[in-house]
Amino acid sequence: MSRLELRHVRKAFGGLDVLADISLSVGAGEFVSILGPSGAGKSTLFQLLTGAEHGEGEMLFDGARLDDHGRHFAFMPQRDALMPWRRILDNTTLGLEVQGMRRQAARACVAPLFAEFGLAGFERHFPAQLSGGMRQRAALLRTVVQQRDMLLLDEPFGALDALTRTAMQRWLEQMWRHHRWTALLITHDVREAVFLSDRIYVLSARPASIVREIKVPFSRPRCLGGEHARQASALEAEILDIILNPQSIQRTRP
């Protein structure tokens, strides 16, 4: 059974239709990405899931109507959103403290994970003292330590330079294989989606609907060279053609 299932979800702002008909699912331990042109409403979909906005249609979690949004999702926005006046240790505990956990208990939960996230020795640093990649790892640590059922990742590496972004994608794929988080990723980066995902949903332009659902057929761990790279490039080209030439694509799910 899918952990998350959306059925014919729609959203309009005033007279502007943003999401026309979105039906998708995410299984337990699955990494799913949503791709689409800029302005298609991808971030609006996350606003519906987190309860920041309300729309039409059905949203189910573990087969039940999605009502308590905060209980299920840990959300990582496009920017790291680290508070510059708090040290990294206290930035990573913020989500737990908001839930009501005392600071010392929150620190005890977070501290053992610093080495795994490549942040050991930087607990007492401020965000401005860290590289962009380290800041994003701190933001992801703050997200996953909340131990929610599912991660919502909204273009988490979009602000990074190309080399750092590639390194972070490889790191996230390794971390996902180790922890098997259930994750839904929004991205504009076709290569990122192919590298990280089990399945990809491609959206049309606004008002958005699902143009194609694509299963990524590559085994894990993913690599960046050899035959895998050639196969991945072919799939990337296919997806780009779907996004750039939507008029030639029949809107059906395989």
Side-chain angles (χ1 to χ4, degrees), residues 39-53:
K42 299 183 294 295
S43 293
T44 298
L45 187 58
F46 273 14
Q47 291 174 342
L48 297 179
L49 290 174
T50 59
E53 294 288 348

Side-chain angles (χ1 to χ4, degrees), residues 26-41:
V26 182
E30 191 176 25
F31 199 116
V32 174
S33 290
I34 298 175
L35 277 170
S38 180

Side-chain angles (χ1 to χ4, degrees), residues 49-241:
L49 290 174
T50 59
E53 294 288 348
H54 300 280
E56 302 176 35
E58 288 186 282
M59 297 193 297
L60 307 175
F61 202 91
D62 287 343
R65 179 179 174 181
L66 179 60
D67 290 319
D68 188 357
H69 302 263
R71 182 167 63 88
H72 295 297
F73 302 115
F75 174 59
M76 182 174 173
Q78 297 178 22
R79 301 285 179 173
D80 59 62
L82 299 177
M83 295 183 176
W85 60 88
R86 290 179 69 121
R87 299 181 189 275
I88 294 302
L89 176 60
D90 293 324
N91 263 290
T92 57
T93 62
L94 186 59
L96 295 174
E97 292 179 51
V98 169
Q99 295 174 32
M101 186 178 292
R102 292 184 179 274
R103 177 171 294 188
Q104 289 303 117
R107 285 180 171 182
C109 287
V110 170
L113 298 174
F114 267 77
E116 185 176 2
F117 278 69
L119 296 168
F122 293 90
E123 294 88 344
R124 307 298 298 174
H125 285 59
F126 290 100
Q129 297 174 294
L130 271 61
S131 68
M134 293 177 73
R135 289 171 62 108
Q136 290 302 101
R137 291 201 296 271
L140 186 61
L141 173 53
R142 179 188 57 199
T143 304
V144 302
V145 78
Q146 298 175 50
Q147 297 184 337
R148 300 302 193 190
D149 297 312
M150 186 172 175
L151 303 181
L152 302 180
L153 308 175
D154 188 355
E155 296 190 74
F157 308 140
L160 300 176
D161 65 86
L163 289 177
T164 304
R165 184 165 62 246
T166 298
M168 288 297 297
Q169 291 163 359
R170 297 182 69 177
W171 174 81
L172 179 57
E173 199 270 339
Q174 293 169 0
M175 292 289 287
W176 177 85
R177 281 190 286 109
H178 177 70
H179 292 280
R180 290 306 298 261
W181 298 312
T182 302
L184 182 61
L185 169 73
I186 285 175
T187 180
H188 285 98
D189 188 334
V190 175
R191 180 164 295 179
E192 178 173 85
V194 170
F195 183 73
L196 290 172
S197 306
D198 298 304
R199 288 185 298 117
I200 299 169
Y201 288 99
V202 182
L203 298 186
S204 68
R206 183 189 301 169
S209 60
I210 301 293
V211 174
R212 187 70 62 83
E213 176 189 350
I214 298 172
K215 180 177 176 58
V216 180
F218 310 130
S219 62
R220 297 183 187 269
R222 302 276 163 87
C223 62
L224 298 175
E227 182 62 25
H228 176 274
R230 289 188 287 273
Q231 293 173 346
S233 293
L235 182 56
E236 291 164 20
E238 176 187 341
I239 295 171
L240 277 172
D241 187 58

